[in-house]
Amino acid sequence: MDEAVQRRRFLGLTAAAAALGLTATVSGCGVLGGESGDVTLRLVAADYDLTGGDTTKKYWADLVTAFEAKHPGVKVEVQIESWDDVDRKVAEMVKADEAPDVAQIGAYADYAAAGELYAADEVLSIPVQANFLPPLAAAGETKRTQYGLPFVASTRPLFYNKALFEKAGAEAPTTWDELAAAAEKLKDEGVTTPFALPLGPEEAQAEALMWLLSGGGGWTDASDHYAVDSEANVRTFDWLKKNLVGKGLTGPVAPGKLNRKAAFAAFASGEVGMLNGHPSLVKEAEKKGVEVGQVPLPGVDGKAKTSMGVADWIMGFKQNGHRKEIGEFLNFVFSDENVLKFAGDNDLLPVTVSASAIMETDPEHANLREFLKGLPDAQLPPVGKTSWATVSENVKQNIGKAVTPSGRPSEVLGTIGRAATTAENAE
């Protein structure tokens, strides 16, 4: 959806966005199949069905059927795993020298750094690789080479409960001060949690990044080095502590103890006035009778100049040597038809320029337009750094301390920042 990239359609990775899961076990390696020259690819994918159904399995089964019909010498076996298990299981497979040919999981950087993945230009056609949205392609790079192929994406606008806002006489905010003023009106009206600020260990690294970006900072600086305790970041957390948390506008649970899942559930139940939203929450809230308003994340002086993007990844492993067949499969996965099908069915965003342009004008996906608007200029967490897993975990466990009554944002961010620089230097 980046205007700088020509909108065009390409045949490619089919529905590559999310739930790689056919049905197979993984054992051995090398060429499989009944006839000489046949190759069987093993794919491990994450399950995106939030209801416990089989929509992810069906998606991949249909995709594989269509792919195999066009590539009679290649079979694909799919193993679907829950998000709780998929990253761990792939790591165990790689460690046991039983790597899948293709994996659709949450992170790629460690495998790229270890030389275990094909680079994008080794498996994708030029049109398919050029069709990725630029922020997502950039986030898939380790040491300036793309190894992570974005599968599906999302961004985070501000959600607000329209009924609670109307009752309180509040306006949808465009600045931090307007957000705080709206939260005050909601509190006066008896709303339990005027603004939900989930800085608990579930997803604090993402929640914090949304605020850092809207305050002109981020986890890294312009040279891609960690800048956790930059002046802009400290100012952001000083503001949060003083103007939201300190004034009792973030509800009865301390932000450092509040996880995103609980905040989302409370919003869907009508107990929260505002929070930074996710596509999956829209339908869940509306199912429970909450009419959701969406606006871009507020910034210091107006709409935040940069929004946060998130992507899940698909990648090809070198171990079994099936570069040609992996490339054929991934190019098929990224066709407009497949990308749109997976993203649309799961209320997520397509990762390609051409599919995003189609979704923007599709009335069926009008509820995703606010998310789509933020994607061309989105900034993703520094997922290409092998140190990010360690730094992210440190953030999850400690960032909430910055807004406690006794917490000092400069000290908390400084401690996290020094550890981040140490981890980065060890990469």
Side-chain angles (χ1 to χ4, degrees):
M1 289 174 330
D2 190 304
E3 285 99 11
V5 176
Q6 185 180 4
R7 298 181 183 268
R8 53 187 187 241
R9 260 178 226 192
F10 300 115
L11 223 168
L13 259 127
T14 140
L20 269 102
L22 298 143
T23 53
T25 57
V26 178
S27 61
C29 60
V31 175
L32 299 176
E35 299 178 12
S36 175
D38 284 358
V39 167
T40 295
L41 298 178
R42 296 188 177 93
L43 168 68
V44 179
D47 189 353
Y48 285 73
D49 194 316
L50 301 176
T51 64
D54 63 354
T55 57
T56 293
K57 286 184 180 179
K58 185 176 187 310
Y59 171 82
W60 285 108
D62 291 346
L63 186 151
V64 166
T65 297
F67 172 77
E68 291 178 349
K70 294 184 176 182
H71 300 83
V74 185
K75 302 294 181 187
V76 184
E77 296 177 348
V78 181
Q79 177 179 337
I80 303 267
E81 299 287 349
S82 74
W83 270 113
D84 291 340
D85 299 325
V86 68
D87 287 278
R88 173 179 57 81
K89 290 200 173 185
V90 169
E92 290 172 352
M93 292 161 63
V94 173
K95 187 175 181 181
D97 291 328
E98 296 178 345
D101 296 286
V102 180
Q104 188 274 303
I105 51 181
Y108 68 87
D110 285 349
Y111 301 122
E116 292 163 337
L117 301 180
Y118 288 114
D121 60 9
E122 293 180 291
V123 289
L124 298 181
S125 70
I126 292 173
V128 169
Q129 188 177 1
N131 198 24
F132 290 127
L133 290 159
L136 305 181
E141 293 181 358
T142 293
K143 300 189 184 302
R144 300 191 178 183
T145 298
Q146 185 181 359
Y147 295 95
L149 313 180
F151 188 58
V152 278
S154 63
T155 56
R156 304 288 191 269
L158 178 78
F159 283 9
Y160 63 96
N161 183 314
K162 286 187 175 182
L164 294 181
F165 262 61
E166 185 176 348
K167 186 178 179 183
E171 299 288 335
T174 59
T175 68
W176 285 1
D177 287 345
E178 289 175 5
L179 186 151
E184 290 277 13
K185 290 183 177 181
L186 292 164
K187 182 182 179 183
D188 292 344
E189 198 58 43
V191 175
T192 306
T193 303
F195 185 91
L197 183 64
L199 296 177
E202 179 191 351
E203 194 72 6
Q205 84 290 353
E207 185 72 23
L209 180 57
M210 288 179 247
W211 281 97
L212 299 182
L213 292 173
S214 65
W219 292 128
T220 56
D221 59 21
S223 62
D224 199 36
H225 293 298
Y226 288 114
V228 177
D229 58 342
S230 67
E231 289 184 14
N233 291 351
V234 171
R235 280 198 304 270
T236 294
F237 269 84
D238 279 337
W239 188 91
L240 284 171
K241 179 181 176 181
K242 177 182 177 182
N243 295 282
L244 289 187
V245 183
K247 293 184 178 178
L249 301 177
T250 53
V253 180
K257 304 291 186 184
L258 180 64
N259 279 329
R260 188 183 69 168
K261 185 175 181 180
F264 281 11
F267 183 85
S269 299
E271 302 165 25
V272 171
M274 294 175 280
L275 49 61
N276 294 337
H278 181 279
S280 65
L281 182 56
V282 178
K283 285 185 180 176
E284 190 61 31
E286 291 179 347
K287 266 193 274 182
K288 297 187 177 181
V290 173
E291 191 177 358
V292 181
Q294 298 182 41
V295 292
L297 292 183
V300 178
D301 301 315
K303 184 182 94 168
K305 294 178 178 61
T306 306
S307 63
M308 185 189 75
V310 176
D312 299 327
W313 305 95
I314 189 168
M315 60 211 71
F317 281 85
K318 291 180 176 179
Q319 184 182 110
N320 301 322
H322 296 150
R323 183 179 68 83
K324 175 177 177 290
E325 294 80 9
I326 290 170
E328 290 172 350
F329 180 70
L330 291 176
N331 279 300
F332 185 74
V333 166
F334 285 114
S335 68
D336 284 344
E337 179 183 0
N338 288 323
V339 171
L340 285 166
K341 171 70 174 166
F342 194 87
D345 285 355
N346 291 281
D347 287 322
L348 292 166
L349 305 182
V351 296
T352 63
V353 173
S354 53
S356 296
I358 295 169
M359 182 178 276
E360 276 181 326
T361 59
D362 187 348
E364 183 181 350
H365 300 299
N367 63 319
L368 294 175
R369 283 180 188 155
E370 196 61 53
F371 297 94
L372 283 164
K373 286 178 188 176
L375 199 50
D377 301 314
Q379 182 172 322
L380 279 72
V383 292
K385 290 179 173 291
T386 55
S387 58
W388 175 240
T390 300
V391 174
S392 174
E393 188 59 31
N394 192 2
V395 171
K396 290 180 183 181
Q397 298 301 325
N398 293 298
I399 196 69
K401 297 174 184 176
V403 295
T404 60
S406 60
R408 291 175 56 87
S410 60
E411 291 180 1
V412 173
L413 291 171
T415 300
I416 296 172
R418 287 189 292 275
T421 298
T422 299
E424 181 178 48
N425 291 338
E427 285 184 338

